[in-house]
Amino acid sequence: MTAPLRVGLIGAGWMGHVHAQSWAANAPRGEITAVFDTSDDRARALVDARTNGRARVYKDLGGLLADAEIDAVDICLPHHLHADAIVRAASAGKHALCEKPICLTFEELRAIRRAVDDAGITFMTAHNNLFALPLIEARRMLGDGTLGRVMHIRSNEVGRNSGMRQRRSPVAHLPAAEATYAWRLDPVRMGGAELLDTGYHGAYRLLGLAASASGDFEDRPIEVVAMLGNYYMEELRPGEDTASVLVRFASGVQGVLVTSWAFGDVAPAWQFEVAGHLGSLAGNVTRLVHAAHGWSSPAERVWQTAHSETYTREVTHFLDVLREDAAPLASWQHAARTLQLIRAAYRSAEERRIIPIPEDPATL
Ligand SMILES: NC(=O)c1ccc[n+]([C@@H]2O[C@H](COP(=O)([O-])OP(=O)(O)OC[C@H]3O[C@@H](n4cnc5c(N)ncnc54)[C@H](O)[C@@H]3O)[C@@H](O)[C@H]2O)c1
């Protein structure tokens, strides 16, 4: 049997805990053997809670990256720190999984690409919603041509962020350090607002569906127009809490992304809807509905699964990519296109016009 992948976890906040649970669920294929957080208390608390006290705690990133007994890092840091951590990890020869968004600027995107290529390491971004079972099945059906030629894809990532409004910690008993929401209110460290943070999930889901619908043709967004607004999260102003984004793909497919922290607490019926010449699909975390034109009633599949399992399957996929040469679903290319789409949407809202999107994903 192959030895477990030894993982250094960087960032012991909310997502640090979620990822640590996901690594534990993937044992014995991988395990967290080291942790670094600028809050030593948080690093130690995570080690105790999630690794039975076994993982080593480092006091700086350089120390963790110099550890020869670490094969890969898992980066769960605030947004403005992603690029530097990925580049340093690659330069130290560590494979890297990094939370979304991959980084904040096109310059950072290019630096990550260079560092990953030069080091020959495996890099993946944490696009956990790609691992929702109904979405995986929908993408398989689109690839098989079930809907015929696809015309329209809609991706919804909406909810009400009352937790952030009330400054509630999403992790129980997290030792005191900067609150999970504090850096999100700083546009420099956040790099945007709701569209860049939660809207990022809806954006990569839209791109993933379009890629599956286009078969061998490498589809990509070619035009974007967006409207932003702030309806609930006053503390984010002038940043948005809601965005509506229209996307035209090279294939002719129209895409719509709706994302919000201001909508109701009740989850929307669908996270995605796809319309094609032969019928339509709609899905969420547990359900997928397919209706071909002419059917008297739709076919429905239901999975016994939960959103939390998307993080577990994301780690499983990272291990499959590393250990079994699986093609990474959340590659640099996929992440770069996602950031490009979001930056184009911000520019569209600012300049109040349609923004053309260049072929090179690290430019706009
Ligand atoms: N996929 C998802 O569903 C999802 C959900 C929430 C957050 N995220 C992403 O996870 C990442 C982390 O977000 P979070 O909510 O866990 O934030 P958080 O604030 O809860 O955790 C960040 C941790 O990083 C530590 N930290 C800050 N600066 C550091 C530094 N220079 N070096 C080392 N540690 C440092 C903090 O002490 C904190 O413990 C973000 O990219 C965010 O977008 C993803």
Side-chain angles (χ1 to χ4, degrees), residues 10-19 36-39 42 61 75-82 98-101 126-129 170-171 174 177-184 189-190 196-197 201 204 307 311 314:
I10 306 170
W14 178 14
M15 271 301 115
H17 279 262
V18 171
H19 283 218
F36 165 57
D37 191 294
T38 37
S39 159
R42 282 199 182 176
L61 181 57
I75 300 165
C76 296
L77 293 173
H79 300 166
H80 67 301
L81 300 169
H82 288 185
C98 181
E99 257 304 338
K100 44 57 65 174
H127 293 180
N128 63 294
N129 285 277
V171 183
L174 200 61
E178 188 180 41
T180 290
Y181 295 125
W183 60 266
R184 285 177 166 86
R189 291 186 287 168
M190 175 72 141
L196 180 84
D197 194 341
H201 293 293
Y204 67 66
H307 176 69
Y311 302 102
E314 156 185 286

